[in-house]
Amino acid sequence: MADNRADTRVSMRTPLSRVKGLGPSGHGVEHWWIHRVTAVSNVPLVIAFVIIIAALAGSPSYQEAIAVISHPLIAIILILAVISVTNHMRLGMQIVIEDYVHEKGWKIVAVIANNFYAVIIGVACLYAILKVSLGRILV
């Protein structure tokens, strides 16, 4: 037999938020999970990035360095590292802004500036990688 009685527990949540399963901030644990996933993905990508840069530090000529970065696998690793690291940076700074900037107007301005900064850094890095890796093809 089904229990058809109304739920009598007191709740501050709206019916819509109970249905969506969102937390008080409106986005639940999605932000937390994405931040953790980017943190985990950064580990092998940053290790690969450091190995690539360390290998390039000993190269005797500029042309050898360009040849290494022009390799498709190296370029893809560098592109993935830039995307993951800039997204992780953006999410981390957003957490700091949301926690420590208390005035709503300044919080919105800071979050927007943070997003623009992350996009500008990401696009600049991606442009540099693509310019170097596709330079031989496009010239």
Side-chain angles (χ1 to χ4, degrees):
M1 183 164 186
D3 185 10
N4 293 330
R5 293 178 289 175
D7 188 9
T8 58
R9 292 179 291 181
V10 177
S11 175
M12 303 265 312
R13 298 176 70 190
T14 65
L16 180 62
S17 71
R18 280 194 297 271
V19 169
K20 286 185 173 181
L22 300 176
S25 64
H27 53 73
V29 297
E30 180 182 0
H31 190 273
W32 186 87
W33 271 110
I34 293 172
H35 198 228
R36 294 320 178 269
V37 168
T38 58
V40 169
S41 69
N42 283 347
V43 172
L45 290 171
V46 168
I47 290 171
F49 177 80
V50 168
I51 291 170
I52 292 166
I53 298 303
L56 290 176
S59 67
S61 73
Y62 176 75
Q63 295 304 324
E64 272 188 44
I66 296 296
V68 169
I69 295 175
S70 296
H71 190 276
L73 181 63
I74 301 296
I76 288 171
I77 289 171
L78 293 175
I79 288 169
L80 290 174
V82 165
I83 291 170
S84 182
V85 167
T86 54
N87 194 26
H88 185 74
M89 173 189 68
R90 182 187 65 80
L91 292 170
M93 281 307 301
Q94 184 175 340
I95 291 169
V96 172
I97 291 167
E98 289 172 351
D99 286 347
Y100 295 107
V101 178
H102 300 294
E103 187 179 328
K104 188 171 185 169
W106 283 112
K107 187 180 293 191
I108 291 171
V109 168
V111 168
I112 290 171
N114 178 45
N115 289 335
F116 276 118
Y117 178 76
V119 168
I120 289 168
I121 294 299
V123 168
C125 292
L126 293 174
Y127 174 77
I129 293 167
L130 291 173
K131 175 116 171 123
V132 170
S133 65
L134 298 176
R136 293 189 299 178
I137 297 170
L138 299 176
V139 173

